[in-house]
Every structure is written in C-alpha cells, then in structure tokens.
Amino acid sequence: MSAREEVLTRVRAAISDVDDATRESDIDWDYGQAVPTGDLDTVERFAERVADYRAVVERVREHDLAQRISAALADVDGPVLADPALRSLLGVEENWIDDETLSPTQLDRVGAVVTTAAVGIANTGTIVLDHGAGQGRRALSLVPDVHLCIVDAAQIVSDVPEAVARLIADGAAARPQTWISGPSATSDIELDRVEGVHGPRTLHVVIVG
C-alpha cells in the first residue's frame, strides 16, 4: 500500500460513521469575523499576550500619552527615530532624528524608534505594521535596539483572520508588512534565550484608550 492509499484509508475509517447529510452540511463561519478572546476582552487579551512575550506593555489615556512616551524614552542611549508628523502629534522634546534613508550602520547607532501600528491581534499578541503614516520603512522597526510602538485600542482585533480582513479593507494588502510578536529572541542548543539578535531587544507597547 502506498503512503497516499494508507492516508486515505485512515481518513475513510475516521469518517465512516458520518452520514451524508452531516458530511454535506454548511459551516456557519465567514473568514474575517471576530472570534472569542476567552475570559478577557479584546484589549485585555492583547495586553496579556504581548506581555507573555516579555514585552513592556502599558495602557494609557490619550491625554497621558506624551508623558508616558517621554518617560519610556528617558533611559534610551542615543537619538530617537520617529516620523515627523508623529513627533509633532506627541509634542515630546527628545533627541529626535529623521530617517533620510539611513544605512544599516547609521540605524544601528539609533537608540530607539517610535512608531504607530496598523493592527493589533489579541489572541496571538501580534502587532502588524503596514508601513503607512507614522510607521516608516521596515528597517526602522528591525535595526534599532528599542522599538516603542503606539497601538490605539480601536485597532485591536480578536484573531488573525479578522486582522487580515481589516488589512485588506484598509488597502494594506499591496504594501509590505511586518508582523511582530514580542522582542527579537532566539535560543541556542541549550535553550538559553538570547534577545536582540535579529531585531529589537526591547519592545515597548503603549495601548491608547
């Protein structure tokens, strides 16, 4: 018996007690709809899952955002990158630097980058950047050692299908995207965790609202 025949034989055996009416019944599910987030609401689940990845997570009111950003950047060593429009919106005095197509070496000297996000995913603790306004090009969120990401509570969805549906609706499907689940980390053969090898060592997420 070939491997294919063996697999099909097992499948047929597994569904042998299912009648035709049940087998052909429609499943009431549409791709992209919201799904449950357990015993926590969407924003709380997102905060919990992001923290599970050893990211720093804060929830702030909109009028406290500038103060929290300033406090979060207080110990950063080096200049801070952010979109000029975002800097103007925050109104925070900082050692800002513009991205004029900085080289990887120049980016490596940057202390931190501040961005907004396109979508936050509650059940996976994932942040999606579509590199629109306030987010900059992909390299900005990959090279500096600290990434401070501002996520509006209204941007947080339940799970990946809902996130994909929103990105498509927003026209982000044709743009490059970066999906971030916690700080950059890897483990060696002895399972010792090392952070910051291929991305930011520190991910600081500020949820607004």
Side-chain angles (χ1 to χ4, degrees):
M1 180 183 294
S2 68
R4 178 178 182 275
E5 291 170 338
E6 182 179 356
V7 170
L8 291 175
T9 298
R10 292 184 181 183
V11 171
R12 293 187 185 105
I15 64 173
S16 60
D17 59 341
V18 179
D19 58 40
D20 290 340
T22 302
R23 187 175 297 143
E24 296 177 4
S25 62
D26 293 332
I27 298 175
D28 183 20
W29 188 77
D30 294 320
Y31 187 88
Q33 70 180 6
V35 299
T37 54
D39 57 345
L40 299 177
D41 67 28
T42 304
V43 178
E44 291 171 335
R45 179 64 71 198
F46 174 74
E48 178 202 55
R49 291 289 161 85
V50 173
D52 281 346
Y53 290 120
R54 301 189 188 181
V56 179
V57 184
E58 292 185 82
R59 293 188 65 177
V60 303
R61 296 182 176 88
E62 187 172 355
H63 64 267
D64 293 326
L65 177 60
Q67 179 183 353
R68 294 311 308 148
I69 296 298
S70 182
L73 296 174
D75 296 327
V76 168
D77 182 20
V80 180
L81 257 172
D83 182 276
L86 177 58
R87 286 163 19 197
S88 177
L89 179 65
L90 292 173
V92 175
E93 292 295 328
E94 191 56 58
N95 182 17
W96 298 114
I97 185 173
D98 290 325
D99 174 34
E100 298 175 350
T101 317
L102 298 174
S103 69
T105 301
Q106 291 171 316
L107 281 175
D108 198 41
R109 299 191 187 107
V110 171
V113 60
V114 181
T115 74
T116 56
V119 177
I121 306 175
N123 283 337
T124 63
T126 302
I127 298 163
V128 184
L129 308 185
D130 65 2
H131 304 288
Q135 299 170 51
R137 58 192 172 105
R138 295 192 72 213
L140 304 191
S141 61
L142 298 174
V143 180
D145 199 48
V146 176
H147 180 191
L148 197 160
C149 188
I150 302 167
V151 182
D152 193 289
Q155 294 178 301
I156 300 173
V157 299
S158 61
D159 217 329
V160 172
E162 190 180 2
V164 172
R166 178 172 293 196
L167 289 165
I168 292 172
D170 291 344
R175 295 197 293 270
Q177 298 170 14
T178 305
W179 292 53
I180 302 167
S181 297
S184 165
T186 189
S187 297
D188 62 19
I189 196 170
E190 296 179 348
L191 299 182
D192 290 328
R193 180 182 171 100
V194 180
E195 297 177 347
V197 175
H198 43 70
R201 188 190 316 272
T202 300
L203 175 63
H204 192 140
V205 179
V206 178
I207 304 169
V208 184

